Amino acid sequence: MLGGIGARAQAAAPVKAGNVVLVHGAWADGSSWSEVIARLQAAGLHVTAVQNPLTSLADAVAETRRALALQDGPTVLVGHSWSGTLVSEAGIDPKVTALVYIAARAPDAGEDFVALSGKFPTMPARAGVQDHDGYTKLSEDAFLKYFANGVEHSKAEVLYAEQQPTAASLFGDRTTVAAWHSKPAFYAVSKNDQTISPDLERFLATRMKATTVELNAGHLSLVSHSKQVADLILAAAGQKK
């Protein structure tokens, strides 16, 4: 059991890590991790939240690598949503001892993730994507109903105001490596996700042979279920059974 939630365990115990690097996904910023950060800091971990530029995979990976370079030892790399892409790419860094995916993409090297996603149900949040000069935002209606479902309304409104424009081209960028082939992976599936198909999330977790938890949460489980998400990260850091 993992924090009271059933999980499929991997054979080898994770390396004990004292550092965590968190990367937010599309239509968000680093503040979306605030409650998870507080829980990890209370557990004694050194935490860094990357401000993902959301302009290209290369830019996001560069920003993440700068954060990893500042860590003093074993580090868990965590990505939400689109940022699972850069976790797969940047996770090969030798300091990274485990990878954590929160309702996230997890592409294989060079994989056409748009094509892969097309094999699973299209979720309603996609209908709210608005393009402005090559950058996308979610409409307020789609953000509150489908992206932030399960989040307290007043908090969801704040997150909507903070959403960061995301390059439309970002979603087609492909990785060159897939760190999950060589690093322990952990995955939190959001059973009520209206942004990424929960069945796609399960497929990705199974393909990676990830230690997996299923949360009764929408896409923003890092906000609505911060304790369970923090518990999974602590497990990846070898800090919690």
Side-chain angles (χ1 to χ4, degrees):
M1 299 294 285
L2 177 61
I5 304 170
R8 183 172 61 255
Q10 292 180 322
V15 173
K16 191 165 185 178
N19 304 298
V20 177
V21 171
L22 307 165
V23 194
H24 67 83
W27 309 308
D29 72 359
S31 68
S32 58
W33 291 108
S34 59
E35 293 180 33
V36 172
I37 291 169
R39 293 180 183 279
L40 296 177
Q41 288 177 334
L45 294 177
H46 174 258
V47 187
T48 302
V50 174
Q51 292 294 351
N52 183 350
L54 298 175
T55 48
S56 70
L57 176 59
D59 291 345
V61 168
E63 197 68 31
T64 302
R65 284 176 175 158
R66 279 191 282 272
L68 290 171
L70 297 175
Q71 307 308 308
D72 63 1
T75 301
V76 175
L77 180 59
V78 187
H80 173 246
S81 192
W82 178 84
S83 283
T85 306
L86 70 86
V87 167
S88 295
E89 181 81 11
I92 61 169
D93 187 292
K95 287 183 182 176
V96 174
T97 53
L99 315 169
V100 182
Y101 297 81
I102 309 299
R105 293 179 168 217
D108 206 343
E111 185 170 48
D112 183 343
F113 200 82
V114 173
L116 175 63
S117 299
K119 298 177 181 179
F120 294 85
T122 298
M123 306 309 289
R126 186 179 299 181
V129 176
Q130 301 173 332
D131 193 312
H132 303 279
D133 298 321
Y135 281 81
T136 65
K137 294 188 78 173
L138 282 178
S139 69
E140 184 171 8
D141 185 65
F143 192 101
L144 298 178
K145 282 184 181 178
Y146 305 124
F147 189 73
N149 62 312
V151 175
E152 180 185 345
H153 184 74
S154 60
K155 187 175 294 185
E157 287 183 319
V158 171
L159 294 168
Y160 169 73
E162 293 171 342
Q163 75 164 303
Q164 197 170 326
T166 300
S169 59
L170 190 73
F171 300 100
D173 284 352
R174 300 192 191 189
T175 58
T176 61
V177 295
W180 47 265
H181 283 296
S182 57
K183 303 281 179 85
F186 295 74
Y187 200 108
V189 172
S190 286
K191 293 197 286 187
N192 305 319
D193 205 319
Q194 298 292 301
T195 302
I196 296 177
S197 166
D199 287 339
L200 174 56
E201 295 176 15
R202 293 182 183 106
F203 167 83
L204 297 170
T206 299
R207 182 172 69 170
M208 290 189 291
K209 298 181 175 61
T211 298
T212 304
V213 296
E214 294 220 359
L215 305 179
N216 289 314
H219 193 58
L220 296 181
S221 59
L222 67 171
V223 179
S224 65
H225 289 64
S226 61
K227 182 183 185 301
Q228 292 93 326
V229 169
D231 283 348
L232 185 65
I233 295 168
L234 288 167
Q239 302 279 354
K240 192 164 188 169
K241 292 184 180 180

